[in-house]
Amino acid sequence: MRQGFLFLLFALVFGLAIATLPHPSRWLAAHLTAFLTGLILVVMALAWNEFRLTDRQRTVAYATGLIAAYGGLVGNVFGAIANLPGPASNPGVAPPMPQAALFYAILAIILPSLFVSFGLVLYGMRGATTGR
C-alpha cells in the first residue's frame, strides 16, 4: 500500500510541474497517470490477502506490477521532458527517432510486465473452490 501512496505523492508533485515546467500538457498526462496508478496500487493492496495465488505467483504479480508502475512513471516523465508527441496529443506527428527509440524500449518493459501482473491478479480473483 506504501507504493500506492507514494504514487499519489508523485501525482501531487507532477501537479506542481504542470504550472511550473515547460510542456504542461505532457506533465498533465504524467500527473493523471501517476494518480490513477496510485489508486490501482492502493486497491490491489487492499484486496491482496483475498487473492487465491501461490507465494510464487504473489511474488511475480507484485514484482511485475511495480516494474510496470515505475516503468510507466519513468516513461511519462521522459515523455514530458523530451516533449514526445503522442498519438492522442499530436496525431500524425512522428516522434524524433533517438527519443522514440528510448521510449519504445521503456514501453517494451512496461507492457509485458503489466499483462503478467494484471493476468495474475485476475487469476487470483477467481471464485472460491467448491467442496465436491
Side-chain angles (χ1 to χ4, degrees):
M1 189 168 310
R2 262 181 265 153
Q3 302 294 329
F5 283 106
L6 185 62
F7 266 82
L8 293 176
L9 178 67
F10 288 149
L12 293 174
V13 171
F14 293 154
L16 294 173
I18 295 168
T20 58
L21 296 176
H23 320 300
S25 63
R26 305 296 188 258
W27 288 108
L28 176 64
H31 164 73
L32 292 174
T33 304
F35 182 72
L36 293 174
T37 302
L39 289 178
I40 289 170
L41 290 174
V42 168
V43 168
M44 282 177 55
L46 289 172
W48 191 255
N49 292 330
E50 302 299 320
F51 294 150
R52 295 184 51 227
L53 297 172
T54 65
D55 289 339
R56 177 71 178 147
Q57 289 171 333
R58 283 181 191 275
T59 302
V60 170
Y62 183 76
T64 56
L66 288 183
I67 289 170
Y70 282 102
L73 184 74
V74 168
N76 275 311
V77 170
F78 177 72
I81 291 171
N83 194 23
L84 284 177
S89 59
N90 293 69
V93 176
M97 196 50 210
Q99 293 92 343
L102 182 58
F103 183 76
Y104 293 146
I106 295 169
L107 202 60
I109 295 169
I110 295 170
L111 288 177
S113 60
L114 184 69
F115 283 127
V116 168
S117 178
F118 275 110
L120 283 171
V121 166
L122 288 174
Y123 180 71
M125 291 171 44
R126 65 191 184 279
T129 58
T130 58
R132 292 185 191 195

